[in-house]
Amino acid sequence: MALASLVLVRRMEGFFHAFFLINLLYVISATWCTATAAAGIKEAASDRADLLSFKSLVDDDPFGALSSWNNGSLHYCRWRGVSCGRRHPDRVTALDLKSLRLAGLISPSVANLTFIQRIDLSDNKLDGSIPEELGSLRRLRFLNLSVNSLRGTIPSSLGNCSNLQVLNLRDNKLNGEISPTLSRLSGLRELILNQNMLQGTIPDSIGNLSSLLSLSLGNNSLSGAMPPSFGGLLSLKMLEIQSTSLTGTIPPTLANLSSLNVLALGGNNLHGEIPHFAQLPFLSYLACSYNHLSGTIPISLGRLSSLEHLDLGVNNLTGEIPSSLYNLSSLNTLALSYNQLKGTLPSDIGNAFPNLQVLLMEGNQLGAQIPASLSNASELYELELSFNAFHGTIPQSLGALQSLFRLTLAVNRLEARNPSDWSFFTALTNCTSLQVLDLGYNLLQGMMPKSIVNLSTSLNFLSLSNNQISGIIPTEIEKLINLTVLDMSVNDLRGTIPVEISHLWQLQYLDLSNNMLSGKIPPTLGKLTRMDQLYLGSNEFEGAIPPTLSNMLMLESLNLSNNRLSGSIPQEVLTLSSLTNFLDLSHNLLNGSLPLEVGNLIIIGALDLSNNRLSGETPDTIGKCTVLEILHLENNLFQGSIPSSISNLRGLQELDLSKNFYSGPIPAFLDELPDLQYLNLSFNSFEGRVPMKGVFKNASELEQFCV
């Protein structure tokens, strides 16, 4: 009995002990849950407050993108641009507010969103600096602040975002150096820092980012050599470092990047030879233009079977184009312009490149005939062969290129001696997308082809300058309604300027100089209100200068020299304050006085009224032309003294007043014009002493302006 009671007591003690433990655990658990819930509520409230803090620094929200953030009854996880997690439904995991034109600063409070994994504020108008506090976001995987106006340096603390995979800060105003701490981001897959103002050298340690797939550092002020360690970025698919100030050679170690698709190193100061990239089976884009690369084009480039874009233009490459390149049947762009390449283009080039869209070969020493087979590259839309030594006739087959957008064959030895040689011109009327046609500086002869007026109405640039083309300008030229540039200078054109040319209302540049055009300058030219360059010099025009030219309110250069124009200088033309480059009315038969309105030309650089019959005193208002560098009034009938206001022309470099009837003393202020290099006062009636300073101090110079 006693033993049974003892057992019962012990059992009761064990029961109470277990009961006590269960209750204790319950209390602890409840306390923990309560504490956790309280902490969660507190953290959730903090996320909301941090989002509102971000909003408070947004100065402008033109689309009302953040208007939902003002709704007190709407949970912040449902605010526009805000996402929360599944495991932690009250914690912000993403902030996506791209392309909303938001202006203001990025609040450091964003760094308190400790669960955030993605931040995309790209394509806005945010300024200020990138908060250093963002470096505390250990869960952050994606950070895109591109296309804003952010300033300052890239925070070194971003190197602490150990899970960061994408860092895109392109197109801002960031300066300073690239922090070596970014090399700590071992999982980084994209590093995009182009189009900023970054300086200094590229840290060699960037080559340790073994997971990197894309690296873009172009359009900065980076200097120094490209780190050879980049050859260790074996996962890299895109390497873009264009338009910086990199020096040195292209590291041969880049040939180890067997996964590379894009290699863009244009616009630097790289020199030396192009490495052999034959072991890059996936390379589709190779651009090394605008450098100082020398030597020949490597034959091994012809083994890059995936290559679609090859741009080696504007370098110092020599030799011939290797025949191996013509094995690259996938090529759509071949740009080798402005080198020193010799030889010819193969006759079957159009068959070798069936996918070719862009062929840029201008500025070399290529010769022979233009291959007619180019018409087999049916997708070709840009063909530039200017500044070479091509000869023979222009292939009629080019007219089969339905997509042709730009054709420049200027500065060659291309010929058209009889009407059949001009058949290419008629064929080009089939190129309905043609916008640029430049045939200047060749040996094209004979009558202006009538088919010129049937060219594409999309044409905006047409140059036939510096040939030996005769005939008249057809009235039907008005059909080319989209022309902005028309250059027919230095030919043998006769007849008058057709009034219909005034219907080309988009015309901005018209050069008909150095022909044998005659008659009057049509007053209707004044309808071309977009004109900024007008050259009609060295013809046989007569009559008065049309005052209607004053309607060309955008005109910057006007040359009517070497004609037979008569009458006075229209006051209206001298009201064109837009004239910034020059006004040349020299070598005509103009008479009368120089109007006071000449003082309206306040930003003109050169004024030449020489070799006319202008008379009277030179108006004092000429001193208002304070930007004037060149002033030629020689061989007229001007009289009186040199206006004292010329002392205001502090940038004057040339002054020729010779062969007039000026009198009085030579003004002392002429020796105080700091930039004056040429002065001719000869054949006038000056008297008194010659100044001895400035341009007068060199006796040998005095011989050129006898007084």
Side-chain angles (χ1 to χ4, degrees), residues 60 73 312 531 585 608 645 662 687:
D60 190 23
S73 61
L312 305 176
M531 187 75 69
L585 305 179
D608 192 345
S645 63
Y662 288 110
E687 57 187 21

Side-chain angles (χ1 to χ4, degrees), residues 370 381-386 394-395 398-399 404-411 414 422 424-431 433-442 444 448-449 451-456 458-465 467 469 477 480 482-488:
I370 296 173
Y381 65 82
E382 189 167 356
L383 177 58
E384 300 193 11
L385 303 178
S386 298
I394 298 172
L398 295 182
L404 196 62
F405 164 85
R406 184 180 180 92
L407 176 61
T408 64
L409 306 177
V411 196
L414 299 169
W422 282 97
F424 76 91
F425 218 87
T426 303
L428 287 177
T429 61
N430 297 318
C431 303
S433 299
L434 193 63
Q435 293 191 25
V436 174
L437 178 59
D438 189 353
L439 304 177
Y441 291 87
N442 278 291
L444 305 177
M448 171 87 70
S451 56
I452 186 174
V453 300
N454 295 322
L455 290 170
S456 168
S458 298
L459 200 67
N460 58 52
F461 182 106
L462 175 59
S463 176
L464 301 173
S465 67
N467 281 286
I469 301 171
I477 195 79
L480 304 179
N482 286 302
L483 273 182
T484 59
V485 173
L486 177 59
D487 189 350
M488 295 183 172

Side-chain angles (χ1 to χ4, degrees), residues 56-95:
S56 69
L57 294 185
V58 174
D59 298 331
D60 190 23
D61 178 12
F63 300 143
L66 305 183
S67 59
S68 62
W69 294 31
N70 298 325
N71 189 341
S73 61
L74 185 66
H75 194 279
Y76 58 87
C77 288
R78 297 178 62 188
W79 291 351
R80 180 172 179 177
V82 178
S83 299
C84 294
R86 293 181 180 178
R87 293 179 58 191
H88 304 278
D90 291 327
R91 302 309 308 276
V92 175
T93 56
L95 185 60

